[in-house]
């Protein structure tokens, strides 16, 4: 019976000869894991790591970026990043919505080069469109971390589709879709440059043009819920199995190596960051641990399926120490870094860690693992006979990504600024979520209004009498002239 059922399912039109069910199932799973990193992972992390008055706005910026990216992606974005070549760094725009396009075998047409065949995963184009959308969306969500707590939400709504089209698609096509960096031999296994370096540089640039938070917010911006922050960070870590495990476009050996290396590097980096906090500040920081986890995940990304696991440990040591140094030491000595208000230090956790990972991948990528993941022949790290030229390629690719994001992000924001103020006015910044959205994350007293002792006086049999000891404490404080803002 089982054999008959298997034969029947294999003969259905929905299972053509080129379809590999295992690859398709894994790729859809990986896409879902990457999606969970953004929604709810970063939505929860952003909503909890910021000051209470910015919880709703920060979570919504992430949620909006995720949703808006999908429509732009299927309308024109996907084929600009993974379609036929228009320019050496850009693909031809086109829709990814029709049945005839989505049910055929997935292909990246521009990856064909000389004797190198074009990349053709063994599943439908619809699967590839979905998987790559999740990468595009999380890049914008990460970028948002630089401008939390002051960017005009309407300006953000205009910014997200423009940046996706004019910046992200260029990096994706150049490095993954068959563009000039791909053909030159720059290695970026799963987005150290395409996602992390670009989001870190674009975020830092955006933070400069949007302007800083209020002075009081910059001086004290404590998380409103550290436990939720850890939960959001945990979703990010676990979801990274899809992030790096899905990069080979198949359920193969490279995917297994990538997932193991991802976890090893993240754990090493977290421990390294925590140890440095203890050595220099005498106590471990939970926020620091999450940042160390993040830098480890970012650093291993450009080489997750291309380096040995002992190399993942080495990369984790660097990931937990170099960004720690730039954030904790160098940042305080640099006038530019101090001037630009990068809310969640995306420059350090993504730009620095992504660049570091790209360089270390250029040193440590093995030819054997590379041959398992890619049809491009001859690429290998400097330590395995790749020569100093591979490091030059890695630095050259990074320079292009940095320069493009600086120029394009600046142009987009200056253009939007002509029509929409990039920064909220100070009076709205004083209030936060209620001014931006008319909503609050924690309306613990009524609708968030100030405590009014005259309405809750025990002597008048008000709420304090009904609420018991808690009401007595609040009423007592109010009677002594203490205004309570919840």
């Amino acid at each position: 019976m089982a054999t008959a059922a298997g034969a029947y399912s294999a003969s259905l039109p929905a299972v053509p000869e080129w379809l590999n069910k295992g690859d398709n199932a894994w790729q859809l799973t990986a896409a879902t894991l990457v999606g969970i990193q953004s929604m709810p992972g970063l939505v929860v992390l952003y909503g909890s790591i910021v000051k209470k008055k910015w919880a709703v706005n920060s979570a919504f910026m992430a949620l909006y970026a995720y949703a808006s990216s999908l429509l732009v992606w299927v309308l024109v974005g996907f084929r600009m990043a993974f379609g036929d070549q228009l320019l050496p760094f850009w693909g031809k725009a086109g829709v990814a919505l029709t049945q005839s396009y989505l049910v055929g075998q997935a292909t990246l047409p521009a990856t064909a080069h000389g004797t190198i065949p074009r990349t053709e995963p063994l599943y439908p184009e619809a699967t590839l469109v979905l998987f790559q959308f999740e990468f595009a969306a999380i890049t914008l969500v990460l970028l948002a971390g630089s401008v939390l707590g002051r960017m005009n939400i309407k300006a953000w709504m205009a910014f997200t589709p423009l940046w996706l089209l004019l910046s992200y698609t260029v990096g994706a096509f150049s490095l993954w879709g068959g563009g000039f960096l791909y053909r030159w031999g720059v290695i970026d296994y799963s987005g150290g440059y395409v996602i992390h370096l670009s989001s870190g540089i674009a975020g830092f640039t955006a933070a400069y043009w949007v302007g800083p938070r209020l002075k009081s917010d910059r001086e004290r911006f404590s998380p409103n819920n550290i436990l939720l922050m850890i939960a959001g960070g945990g979703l990010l870590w676990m979801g990274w199995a899809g992030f790096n495990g899905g990069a080979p476009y198949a359920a193969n050996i490279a995917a297994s190596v990538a997932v193991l290396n991802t976890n090893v590097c993240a754990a090493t980096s977290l421990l390294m960051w925590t140890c440095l906090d203890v050595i220099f500040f005498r106590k471990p920081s939970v926020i620091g641990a999450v940042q160390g986890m993040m830098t480890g995940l970012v650093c291993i990304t450009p080489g997750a399926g291309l380096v040995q696991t002992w190399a993942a440990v080495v990369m984790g040591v660097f990931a937990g120490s170099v960004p720690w140094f730039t954030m904790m030491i160098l940042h305080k000595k640099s006038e530019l870094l101090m001037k630009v208000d990068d809310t969640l230090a995306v420059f350090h956790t993504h730009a620095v860690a992504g660049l570091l990972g790209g360089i270390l991948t250029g040193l440590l990528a093995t030819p054997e693992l590379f041959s398992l993941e890619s049809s491009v022949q001859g690429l290998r790290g400097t330590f395995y006979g790749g020569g100093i030229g591979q490091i030059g390629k890695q630095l050259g690719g990074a320079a292009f990504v940095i320069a493009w994001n600086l120029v394009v992000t600046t142009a987009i924001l200056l253009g939007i600024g002509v029509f929409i103020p990039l920064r909220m006015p100070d009076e709205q910044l004083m209030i936060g979520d209620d001014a931006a959205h008319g909503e609050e994350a924690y309306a613990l007293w009524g609708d968030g209004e100030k405590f009014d002792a005259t309405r809750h006086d025990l002597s008048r049999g008000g709420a304090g009498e009904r609420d018991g000891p808690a009401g007595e404490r609040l009423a007592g404080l109010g009677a002594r002239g203490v205004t309570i803002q919840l």
Side-chain angles (χ1 to χ4, degrees), residues 79-87 89-93 169-170 173:
R79 294 177 75 166
M80 291 172 70
F82 297 98
D84 295 308
Q85 179 174 309
L86 174 66
L87 297 170
F89 54 86
W90 229 344
K92 295 179 182 178
T169 57
V170 169
F173 184 83

Side-chain angles (χ1 to χ4, degrees), residues 237-238 240-241 244 255-273 289 292-301 303-305 307-320 364:
W237 186 345
M238 294 300 102
W240 224 282
N244 288 343
S256 299
V257 173
V259 174
L260 176 62
N261 285 346
T262 297
N263 284 277
V264 168
C265 187
T268 305
S269 180
L270 185 155
L271 296 175
M272 186 70 189
W273 193 293
M293 172 207 78
M294 181 78 73
T295 55
L297 294 168
V298 171
C299 184
I300 193 63
T301 290
V307 302
Q308 298 190 57
T309 301
W310 65 260
V313 175
V314 173
M315 293 176 75
V317 171
F318 280 100
L364 299 170

Side-chain angles (χ1 to χ4, degrees), residues 144-482:
S146 293
V147 292
L148 298 180
R150 83 281 199 177
M151 187 171 185
N152 185 338
I153 189 63
K154 295 176 182 176
W156 176 248
M157 293 169 72
F159 175 80
T160 54
L162 292 173
W163 191 86
L164 177 66
L165 290 177
L166 300 178
S167 184
Y168 181 82
T169 57
V170 169
F173 184 83
S174 298
L175 281 155
W176 291 342
F180 77 105
L181 294 178
Y182 172 90
R183 297 184 180 191
W184 189 32
V186 178
I187 302 172
D188 187 9
Y189 171 82
S190 190
Y193 288 176
V194 176
I195 295 172
H196 300 293
L197 182 59
S198 65
S199 63
I201 296 299
F204 189 79
T205 305
Y208 173 83
W209 289 111
V210 172
R213 290 166 289 171
L214 291 176
K215 185 173 182 292
S216 58
D217 281 351
R218 290 196 73 177
E219 291 174 348
R220 183 167 178 79
F221 208 67
S222 302
N224 67 80
N225 194 319
I226 286 184
L227 294 181
L228 270 182
M229 179 196 73
I230 296 173
L235 289 170
L236 200 66
W237 186 345
M238 294 300 102
W240 224 282
F243 198 104
N244 288 343
Y249 296 147
N252 58 17
I253 295 174
S256 299
V257 173
V259 174
L260 176 62
N261 285 346
T262 297
N263 284 277
V264 168
C265 187
T268 305
S269 180
L270 185 155
L271 296 175
M272 186 70 189
W273 193 293
T274 300
C275 288
L276 288 172
D277 277 347
V278 171
I279 293 169
F280 286 90
F281 304 118
R282 306 301 182 197
K283 60 181 68 174
S285 164
V286 177
I287 298 175
V290 172
Q291 289 171 324
M293 172 207 78
M294 181 78 73
T295 55
L297 294 168
V298 171
C299 184
I300 193 63
T301 290
L306 310 176
V307 302
Q308 298 190 57
T309 301
W310 65 260
V313 175
V314 173
M315 293 176 75
V317 171
F318 280 100
S321 55
V322 175
W324 183 94
F325 174 79
T326 64
M327 185 186 299
M328 300 300 179
I329 307 298
L330 184 61
H331 186 102
K332 298 173 183 178
K333 298 180 181 296
S334 168
E335 290 185 11
L336 176 61
L337 293 177
M338 288 292 289
K339 179 181 179 181
V340 178
D341 182 16
D342 180 2
T343 308
L344 298 186
V346 177
F347 175 79
H348 300 285
T349 56
H350 293 275
V352 173
L355 176 59
L356 176 66
I359 294 171
L360 290 173
T361 296
L363 292 171
L364 299 170
T366 76
E368 293 82 8
L369 289 174
F370 202 98
S371 66
L372 293 176
E373 192 274 332
S374 175
S375 57
V376 179
Q377 299 299 312
L379 290 183
R380 62 189 66 199
T382 298
F383 288 172
Y384 294 90
I388 196 66
Q390 188 59 51
I391 296 300
K393 291 177 181 180
Q394 297 302 103
L395 292 173
F400 173 77
V401 172
I402 291 170
W404 186 270
N405 278 280
L406 278 169
V407 173
V408 172
T409 304
T410 295
I412 293 171
L413 287 169
L414 291 180
I416 292 173
V418 173
F419 304 98
I420 306 171
L422 298 178
R423 184 177 181 269
M424 294 185 205
D426 284 356
E427 56 269 22
Q428 290 186 12
L429 294 179
M430 289 292 293
I431 298 169
D433 289 338
D434 204 15
H437 303 280
E439 298 164 318
E440 293 180 322
Y442 304 105
L444 300 181
W445 187 270
D447 190 30
E449 72 271 15
K450 290 183 179 180
F451 182 84
D452 186 349
T454 62
R455 292 170 55 195
H456 308 285
D457 193 341
L458 284 174
S459 63
R460 298 173 57 184
E465 198 169 36
R466 294 192 302 274
D467 293 342
E472 291 178 16
R473 286 195 295 272
L474 291 174
L477 290 170
R480 291 195 294 271
V482 178

Side-chain angles (χ1 to χ4, degrees), residues 61-98:
M61 286 180 68
L63 176 61
Y64 176 84
Y66 183 81
S68 65
S69 299
L70 181 53
L71 287 181
V72 176
W73 191 246
V74 295
L75 286 172
V76 290
F78 173 74
R79 294 177 75 166
M80 291 172 70
F82 297 98
D84 295 308
Q85 179 174 309
L86 174 66
L87 297 170
F89 54 86
W90 229 344
K92 295 179 182 178
V95 298
L97 290 168
T98 62

